[in-house]
Amino acid sequence: MIEPRLALLQRQARTNDSKVVLLVLDGVGRFQFAPYLIRRVCRQAQLDYAVVRFDWQFGAVGEIWTDLMWLRRNRLQAVRFARLVRRLRREHHKRTIHIFAFSGGNGVAAFGCAYLKDGDMIDTLIMAQPALSPRFDLSKALRAAKR
């Protein structure tokens, strides 16, 4: 399911000369508060960012427990996410890539960034209100980010 996200980004790239890609991973439950607020802030601040939401959640809006507890699926979504980042880096290598993860989306972002190789580095990883265990080792994920 990488293709629809990449097709959306490529459409935005044609109409938007933005040099910045902001990948957003919202929290559990598919409520989409973070992507909505980020797009609104970018519009109000007149930031020329290509904001792309990575859809990792399962089921209908409000299905929070599945998103929180299904570790195997979240790791598979992280592989999808890492592939998307690699492809973006390869096809849009001059663009700055930022990742903004909110709440439960931080798990998928952290797992995904840990799967990235050295050449696939992202520019910034922002982890807002991470729903991660205090014992979770972030060192592998943080190695993929320049800041």
Side-chain angles (χ1 to χ4, degrees), residues 83-97:
R83 287 180 183 157
L84 174 63
V85 172
R86 279 189 207 115
R87 195 162 177 185
L88 287 173
R89 182 54 70 203
R90 186 175 62 245
E91 295 182 8
H92 302 277
H93 60 277
K94 292 185 180 179
R95 288 189 173 190
T96 302
I97 299 177

Side-chain angles (χ1 to χ4, degrees), residues 58-120:
F58 177 81
V61 173
E63 195 166 332
I64 62 172
W65 296 112
T66 304
D67 291 342
L68 282 172
M69 304 301 289
W70 199 352
L71 181 62
R72 183 170 181 261
R73 183 180 186 284
N74 291 346
R75 286 193 181 270
L76 289 171
Q77 295 302 310
V79 170
R80 279 184 53 230
F81 179 69
R83 287 180 183 157
L84 174 63
V85 172
R86 279 189 207 115
R87 195 162 177 185
L88 287 173
R89 182 54 70 203
R90 186 175 62 245
E91 295 182 8
H92 302 277
H93 60 277
K94 292 185 180 179
R95 288 189 173 190
T96 302
I97 299 177
H98 301 296
I99 296 172
F100 179 90
F102 177 74
S103 188
N106 281 290
V108 175
F111 293 148
C113 287
Y115 295 141
L116 295 175
K117 308 279 190 278
D118 290 335
D120 303 320

Side-chain angles (χ1 to χ4, degrees), residues 15-91:
T15 59
N16 182 356
D17 291 333
S18 170
K19 292 182 172 54
V20 178
V21 176
L22 179 57
L23 291 170
V24 181
L25 291 91
D26 201 20
V28 299
R30 199 181 291 268
F31 293 107
Q32 303 308 323
F33 292 129
Y36 169 77
L37 292 174
I38 288 173
R39 283 190 178 111
R40 185 174 180 187
V41 166
C42 288
R43 196 171 38 251
Q44 286 178 347
Q46 298 179 349
L47 297 174
D48 188 24
Y49 286 14
V51 179
V52 179
R53 179 180 60 88
F54 181 75
D55 188 18
W56 67 273
Q57 298 97 333
F58 177 81
V61 173
E63 195 166 332
I64 62 172
W65 296 112
T66 304
D67 291 342
L68 282 172
M69 304 301 289
W70 199 352
L71 181 62
R72 183 170 181 261
R73 183 180 186 284
N74 291 346
R75 286 193 181 270
L76 289 171
Q77 295 302 310
V79 170
R80 279 184 53 230
F81 179 69
R83 287 180 183 157
L84 174 63
V85 172
R86 279 189 207 115
R87 195 162 177 185
L88 287 173
R89 182 54 70 203
R90 186 175 62 245
E91 295 182 8

